[in-house]
Amino acid sequence: MATKENSLSIFALGGINEIGKNMYVVQYANDLIIIDCGAKFPDESLLGIDLIIPDFTYLQENKDKIRALVVTHGHEDHIGGIPYLLKKINVPIYATRFTLGLIELKLKEHKLLRSTELVEIHSDSLLDFNKISVSFFKTSHSIPDCLGIVLDTPEGKVVHTGDFKFDWTPVNNQYSDIHKMAEIGSQGVLALISESTNAERPGSTPSEHLVGGHIVDAFTRAERKIVISTFASNVNRIQQIVSATLKTNRKLALLGRSMVNVVSVAIERGYLTIPEEVLIDASEVKYLQPEEVVVLCTGSQGEPLAALSRLANGNHREVKILPEDTVILAASPIPGNENAVSRIVDNLFQLGAKVIYGSSSNTGMHVSGHGYQEDLKLMLTFMKPKYFIPIHGEYRMLHLHRILAESVGVEKEHTFIMKNGDVVDIENAVARQTRKILSGDSYVDGVGIEEVEGIVLRDRKQLSEDGMLVIVLTINKADGTIISEPDIISRGFVYARDSETLLSKVSILVTETVNELQEDTIQQPHVLKKEIKKAVGQYLFTQTKMKPMILPIIIEI
């Protein structure tokens, strides 16, 4: 359903009731602004899938109305889907200097950089798109150059906070612009779209500045090599690690492609300072004394191919974890990653390492980049919205955020707890949520490969659980008779030598099925395959309670 001629519509194609693949749309009449285009990583049920991105169908159907993609900050769950969107729709991208640097890395990889319009913005930028004008305000987060977004429409102001917290002592001196926030609120905010990640956590988010002291203490106590893992995008954390490296007279090596790339962008654009004499190549680590080295690597979330995982498994080419080395995980596990992180920690202990890991409150090695309850209430107090849309959290977080909004004066019925695809329409300053648009997940299998269809995932799941049975059948092209006995090949289903009786009965069943079809003068290969799959599938399930993928191959001669 199209947006009404003179009404304002707000909805999400991703990120509204989940943590990841953020993508929001604000549309007034024929002007459509996209906010962020993220991706998220799959769980173990999505076999062979590299990335999950939003479904872009609505945007493709309305591409003539799209005026801009405005990006709040450079985290993967806000920029990871951009190359895949650009392959379908060429849209200008507006982002801050550091965020553009990270986007450019992705566009180079996908060979899209030359064909994409990239526009650098800052907190004082003002963009005008016919019926919608866009301005910005500074926020604090765990990555540099974060912005909140103000969309001024004929219906009123819509504010999107981006990811934020209030850090009163930021490491990079990028303070939240609370005066501008208060000014925006005093002018009147029709709708506030605000993140909910830490809506369950009372109090205020600790400052990133607190982590630096704990890192220095750990570095001072370490007797041998130090390996520390954190998010590559957390440039403020990396700067504190550099400072601790200098204070303890060590050298710093970088491991992991994303770590090397992000650090390069941050140094080049002036967000990170590392003296040249401190940085060494990973190949030099083995030639230095262990007490002279710090290794900064990716993999704090247990990613199987990341540097920390390879170190924990003992198969990294350049660097080895040896007994009494200190390994620090300077990040808390994201929900869902706990098991993967635990496996790595176990492996590190088996190698004899001293491991500092666990919740941030216990180790002091991590603070969240997302606002706790008092931060969320402060944002609501500054903005004083008429309507409120909590986003970026699971349902319970959205619900708790609504309660926080009520506590600072937002009317309960003016909060919309939505799902991806739900639309809030605002006309004459009255908001209603009565319709949906098409939304969902698209699956990416490999770099630059089209999204994977659901049937492919089902096939992969079936193969992983019950294996495959290949039936090779040679028939006479002229009359459809079987020339030789069917060849039955089992892969991941049953071991052929131990199941000769079962497989011989399958061969007999295939022959009987083909002969019956021949009597009915049915000889088309596609019909034969369908009936073979049906007959064999039913038989195998009754005998084994398994459903292997059955792949008939018919050779006509």
Side-chain angles (χ1 to χ4, degrees), residues 15 81 83 115 152 304 449 544 555:
S115 60
D152 207 338
I449 298 176
T544 67
I555 301 172

Side-chain angles (χ1 to χ4, degrees), residues 54-65:
D55 186 328
F56 301 135
T57 301
Y58 180 86
L59 299 177
Q60 290 176 268
E61 293 173 350
N62 293 271
K63 61 183 179 181
D64 294 339
K65 300 175 183 177

